[in-house]
Amino acid sequence: MPVPGEAAANNSFSGRAEAPVIQAQHIETVYLASAPTPQRPAWTLPARPAGLVGRDRERTGLLALLDPARRAAAPGVVCLTGPGGVGKTALALDTAYDVRARGWYPGPALYVDARAHRSDRIDGAEALLGALLRQLGLPGDQLDRHRAGLEGQLRGTLAAEPQGCLIVVDDLADADLLGSVIPADGRHRLLVTLRGSPGRDDVSEVRLPGLGPDAARLLLADLSGRAADDPLVAEVAGLCGELPHALRLAASRLAEPDDAVQNFLAILRQPEERPAELGLVPLYDASLALLDAADARMLHLLTLHPGTEVDTAAAAALAGCTVPEAGRRLRQLCASHLLEQSGTPDRVRCHDLLWQYARSRCTAVESPAEVTAAEHRLVQHYAAHAPDADDGWLEREWRTLVLVVAMAARLGRCDVVSALAAGLIDHLTGQARTVDALSVLGHAVTAAHQRGEHGREAALLTEMSRQYHGVQRAREAAVCAEAGHLVHIRMGVLSPDMDDALAEHAAAQGDAHAAVHHRDRAARGWRRRGHLARYAVSLYGLGCGWDDLGEPGRAARAYARSLAAAEAARDVRAAARACHALAAGAAARDAHDEAADHLTRGLDLARRTDDVRTTVALLNRLARARLDARRTDDAVELLDTALRLTDAYRLRQLRTSVLDLEADLLKSLATAADRAAEACERDAETAVEEHVVRCEREWFGRPRGAGRTAQVGTSEREGDATTEGAAPDTSDDPSEPAWWEVGAASSDRPDHRAWVREAERSPAVVAKRDAAARLRRQTDGLLARAAKAEEERGRRRQEEGAEHVPEPPVLRPNHHLRSVFARTTALPGCALLWSMAWVVHDWFQDARRPVTALLYLGLTVAAVWAGRRVWQRSRGTHAGDVLALCVHRCHPAAGAALLAYAAALTGARLTVLGAAVLLAAQTAWDLWPVVRHRMRPPAGVGAVRPSS
């Protein structure tokens, strides 16, 4: 306040106050309290995480990058990247504690949680820099308000630090923020966890994958307190997708009571509920929030793909964009760690839990019309590639194609099903993937029926019957064979396909005579048509029929003709099967050299094709031939190859037969090794006995008094030894008792035990004893392997019926029954009733002329017999077949002639009109399929390659 009597002071200030301002008229002494020096925390790291397993390799890599000795070689920033929930934070903190324990960075250890995927996240470079500067001791009121100023303050503060600092920034949102916090001083290190890729050359990136199965099981067991070998632990670890975040939550749930654990496990077994139950939805929501709309849509639509891997072209078809654009989208998703590259170029895959989450998001976000359109584009994309597909493409994509066929069937795209099934069935049957082949065959049968391709439908049903026989499903095979026969009858066209199908059905029923009859008929039909490949297959079946009838000579001739036809048609697969059959026949005749030649030739042919089943059968047969020829090394090598193939292609039945042969081979090898061990032991015993005998001879050959007590160890005078079994010389002093008469305590008695011990220590005997012991161990190992093979064989036989096999696509009642009934029964039956009525009418009207009616009745009965003979394809002579076919085709014309003759005689035109209409309908019904077949062969016939 102003002093009385003095003028008032009036001061004004402008600008910004940089320091405390004191206003007064008279200032003598000012005491300012010094501001407290800010305390810089030396340790802000959270507690060290517990239960970190399976990260030794990644921890070693991080420590190598953080090593101060590599200051010039390593950048100052190490970025730990990976998808959400993979355990980046736990590994970063654990590594930071290891770094501090090594004394590498003794300065402050700072930790900033950027919380990028939470609502209270640190947003922007200014907030991140401010958080770091505050931890370094700079007060908040001294922080610059601009990014450039904050960066300068951070560089200056770190430069003023006397010792190196370790800075951990966890869960950073944007890789662009790294440029603001990179230390300029090489004494410091920055460790960052990031979900995306840093995309900078001055940053060392360490990608963190998921835990392996063993590490996931150990982590869950450690956190839950259960045993690592507990089946429940293994199942839950697999359902958690080996993600540490999910495993930690599951461990807390496993500590609950048993009822709660069972409820938790029941929910985990539902794939659509698994991400939410494991607490992964917030993590995935935050990751998707960082994507733009196009990338998020791509991720949603990728879940519509039925396979485990997606290539760029399929992704483009799903999204409805170009292939380059799809490639850019996929690369961006891989950089965000939402997808990962597979082993094949231009192919990506998605984690199971993330896939389930994205699939639920696709259902919730994308419209049903968009989802359906994307699925149609996908199946059309694969159908467009089917005509030009080679074996390599089919081998890479067969798993996906099987699922795409099912998707196309669900969408009602019969054209796509037919296009994909044409080559896929042949590939799957050749690779002996029977279950998948049956699934595709079922959809293909339904599609062929809906498209009216009855010829293809019959061929597919016949192939299904073969495949069901291959997995020992006789009931399903019979159902498919019956349905295929009905389709053939409905088609109304006699073809060798029908005879082949009937032959296979008869063989399955054990009627070898009928099988031979139909195979012979089919072979003649294919030969007339000039179809050599199918002719070879029919001849092969004919040979099998003759084998069943016990006619090896006829069977060998049929197989030889099949081989010649297959070679003429360049059908390598059929030629390999024929060689296998010829080898089996030669082996039965004890012509082992001929059998070996056929097997070697057939194996060479089979390896040039994709027929794995025939290859394994030939390897098995050739291994047995080598075993019979005592070439065990070759047999073992062949069996190992066959077992690898059966494992790779899941050939249960063939593996059982290979295991049978392996057990026999191992037992025979064990027997041979045991005999060799016994021979070595006998040789060793013989060597010991010979050494003792030699020592006795030398001992007895010494003169009396020459020191007989000195035992002879080696044969020094073999020429002086007495003959074996000769008595010792005692003629010098007859009164002196012989050595055997002396008591046991006499020192003049030979020590046989010393001679035996000396013989046992000789190199020859030791070598034989060692060889015998080695052979005994080899015998025990072979017997153990044989027992293991027999045990696996028994287990395989028990599991043969456990594999799920799809049911045949045959409706009940069958949709072909009406047509078949009309063709085989209804129309001939009506004609028969009409003719009987006509006979009765003429008998009462004009008993003198019933001849025409009786002729008509006989013709109708003959037509019924011919129809059954033609369509049921019963056995008989070739002349009977020709007669039945002529009567079946020509009886309507003969009936019409008889009706015209009767009308001319009686003048009853109206009476005959009904029978004429009936005959015309029956004629059209019988002849129209033949005319249609001649004018336009049914689409798809012959597209299915027959297999044996």
Side-chain angles (χ1 to χ4, degrees), residues 79-104:
C79 191
L80 186 61
T81 63
V86 79
K88 300 184 297 295
T89 301
L91 179 59
L93 291 176
D94 188 80
T95 305
Y97 274 89
D98 282 347
V99 167
R100 295 287 294 185
R102 294 167 186 257
W104 285 353

Side-chain angles (χ1 to χ4, degrees), residues 229-529:
D229 56 353
D230 189 351
L232 179 63
V233 172
E235 182 181 4
V236 173
L239 294 175
C240 290
E242 302 166 1
L243 289 179
H245 179 88
L247 290 169
R248 293 179 185 276
L249 188 143
S252 63
R253 298 293 301 273
L254 290 180
E256 298 176 355
D258 292 341
D259 294 341
V261 170
Q262 293 301 322
N263 293 334
F264 172 66
L265 189 60
I267 296 175
L268 282 187
R269 288 169 179 165
Q270 304 176 24
E272 64 278 1
E273 299 293 337
R274 206 172 296 158
E277 190 68 18
L278 294 174
L280 297 172
V281 172
L283 298 179
Y284 292 152
D285 283 339
S287 297
L288 260 68
L290 300 177
L291 300 177
D292 57 15
D295 292 340
R297 178 177 177 271
M298 173 65 79
L299 181 62
H300 294 163
L301 294 179
L302 285 179
T303 60
L304 301 176
H305 193 280
T308 57
E309 296 181 354
V310 185
D311 60 349
T312 308
L318 281 168
C321 62
T322 62
V323 175
E325 182 181 355
R328 290 190 293 271
R329 300 296 179 192
L330 294 180
R331 285 192 296 272
Q332 181 61 36
L333 292 172
C334 289
S336 301
H337 292 281
L338 295 173
L339 297 178
E340 58 182 0
Q341 295 285 345
S342 64
T344 309
D346 295 332
R347 300 176 74 88
V348 296
R349 59 173 176 260
C350 183
H351 193 274
D352 293 341
L353 294 173
L354 179 58
W355 186 91
Q356 291 293 343
Y357 164 80
R359 185 60 183 268
S360 63
R361 291 282 301 171
C362 178
T363 305
V365 175
E366 306 296 336
S367 64
E370 175 61 22
V371 170
T372 304
E375 290 178 339
H376 278 279
R377 291 193 299 267
L378 180 65
V379 298
Q380 187 62 41
H381 159 73
Y382 282 105
H385 284 74
D388 301 328
D390 56 359
D391 291 339
W393 185 77
L394 289 173
E395 181 60 28
R396 290 192 306 271
E397 299 286 348
W398 69 267
R399 295 179 179 85
T400 300
L401 292 176
V402 171
L403 299 174
V404 169
V405 167
M407 177 186 288
R410 175 173 56 82
L411 296 173
R413 294 293 302 272
C414 297
D415 56 336
V416 174
V417 173
S418 299
L420 291 175
L424 183 59
I425 293 172
D426 186 29
H427 179 77
L428 292 175
T429 54
Q431 296 292 330
R433 297 184 173 102
T434 307
V435 175
D436 300 301
L438 285 171
S439 176
V440 177
L441 281 167
H443 295 303
V445 167
T446 305
H449 175 72
Q450 293 178 358
R451 299 183 71 184
E453 299 175 351
H454 299 307
R456 179 174 174 79
E457 181 183 2
L460 290 168
L461 285 168
T462 303
E463 182 63 26
M464 285 196 77
S465 178
R466 298 189 190 105
Q467 297 301 320
Y468 276 123
H469 279 302
V471 292
Q472 305 297 318
R473 298 299 179 92
R475 183 186 65 83
E476 290 84 351
V479 169
C480 291
E482 178 188 357
H485 189 201
L486 292 177
V487 177
H488 278 296
I489 296 175
R490 177 178 180 175
M491 288 173 59
V493 179
L494 300 176
S495 65
D497 275 318
M498 184 175 178
D499 285 306
D500 277 328
L502 289 172
E504 293 178 9
H505 185 61
Q509 299 297 323
D511 191 353
H513 291 282
V516 167
H517 168 73
H518 292 299
R519 285 294 189 186
D520 183 62
R521 183 182 284 171
R524 291 199 305 267
W526 292 123
R527 185 178 58 185
R528 287 195 301 269
R529 288 165 170 78

Side-chain angles (χ1 to χ4, degrees), residues 749-766:
R749 186 172 183 176
D751 191 354
H752 287 78
R753 288 178 294 182
W755 294 341
V756 171
R757 286 194 299 270
E758 183 179 0
E760 292 285 354
R761 290 194 296 268
S762 66
V765 175
V766 170

Side-chain angles (χ1 to χ4, degrees), residues 94 719 754 802-803 887:
D94 188 80
E803 188 175 12
V887 171

Side-chain angles (χ1 to χ4, degrees), residues 453-739:
E453 299 175 351
H454 299 307
R456 179 174 174 79
E457 181 183 2
L460 290 168
L461 285 168
T462 303
E463 182 63 26
M464 285 196 77
S465 178
R466 298 189 190 105
Q467 297 301 320
Y468 276 123
H469 279 302
V471 292
Q472 305 297 318
R473 298 299 179 92
R475 183 186 65 83
E476 290 84 351
V479 169
C480 291
E482 178 188 357
H485 189 201
L486 292 177
V487 177
H488 278 296
I489 296 175
R490 177 178 180 175
M491 288 173 59
V493 179
L494 300 176
S495 65
D497 275 318
M498 184 175 178
D499 285 306
D500 277 328
L502 289 172
E504 293 178 9
H505 185 61
Q509 299 297 323
D511 191 353
H513 291 282
V516 167
H517 168 73
H518 292 299
R519 285 294 189 186
D520 183 62
R521 183 182 284 171
R524 291 199 305 267
W526 292 123
R527 185 178 58 185
R528 287 195 301 269
R529 288 165 170 78
H531 204 311
L532 291 179
R534 300 299 300 272
Y535 177 56
V537 173
S538 297
L539 286 174
Y540 178 83
L542 181 61
C544 294
W546 285 124
D547 273 334
D548 294 337
L549 290 176
E551 297 284 347
R554 291 185 174 183
R557 288 193 294 272
Y559 291 140
R561 292 165 59 195
S562 175
L563 177 60
E567 291 177 342
R570 297 181 179 179
D571 190 345
V572 182
R573 183 183 300 178
R577 288 197 298 266
C579 288
H580 180 226
L582 287 171
R589 301 192 307 271
D590 293 333
H592 299 294
D593 294 337
E594 181 184 353
D597 293 339
H598 285 304
L599 288 172
T600 305
R601 181 182 179 187
L603 187 59
D604 180 63
L605 293 172
R607 284 173 170 168
R608 289 160 49 188
T609 67
D610 56 355
D611 193 348
V612 181
R613 192 182 298 274
T614 303
T615 303
V616 173
L618 285 166
L619 286 171
N620 196 6
R621 175 76 67 175
L622 187 57
R624 186 171 291 278
R626 294 289 186 263
L627 181 60
D628 293 338
R630 299 187 181 279
R631 296 171 58 181
T632 56
D633 294 338
D634 294 341
V636 169
E637 182 180 358
L638 292 170
L639 282 179
D640 289 341
T641 305
L643 288 173
R644 285 196 299 269
L645 287 174
T646 55
D647 282 339
Y649 293 97
R650 297 178 300 172
L651 304 178
R652 294 178 179 270
Q653 186 178 3
L654 285 179
R655 183 172 178 82
T656 302
S657 63
V658 176
L659 289 172
D660 289 338
L661 182 56
E662 185 187 27
D664 295 341
L665 174 61
L666 292 173
K667 288 179 180 179
S668 63
L669 291 176
T671 303
D674 184 66
R675 291 174 180 173
E678 291 178 354
C680 289
E681 291 176 351
R682 285 196 302 269
D683 292 342
E685 293 175 359
T686 302
V688 171
E689 292 176 358
E690 290 177 352
H691 181 78
V692 172
V693 169
R694 187 166 56 251
C695 291
E696 287 179 351
R697 289 177 179 176
E698 292 180 358
W699 194 88
F700 288 131
R702 291 175 182 270
R704 189 182 307 275
R708 290 182 179 180
T709 56
Q711 300 299 316
V712 180
T714 58
S715 178
E716 297 178 356
R717 299 188 306 275
E718 294 183 0
D720 296 338
T722 59
T723 59
E724 184 176 358
D729 185 9
T730 60
S731 58
D732 294 338
D733 189 1
S735 63
E736 183 179 0
W739 63 267

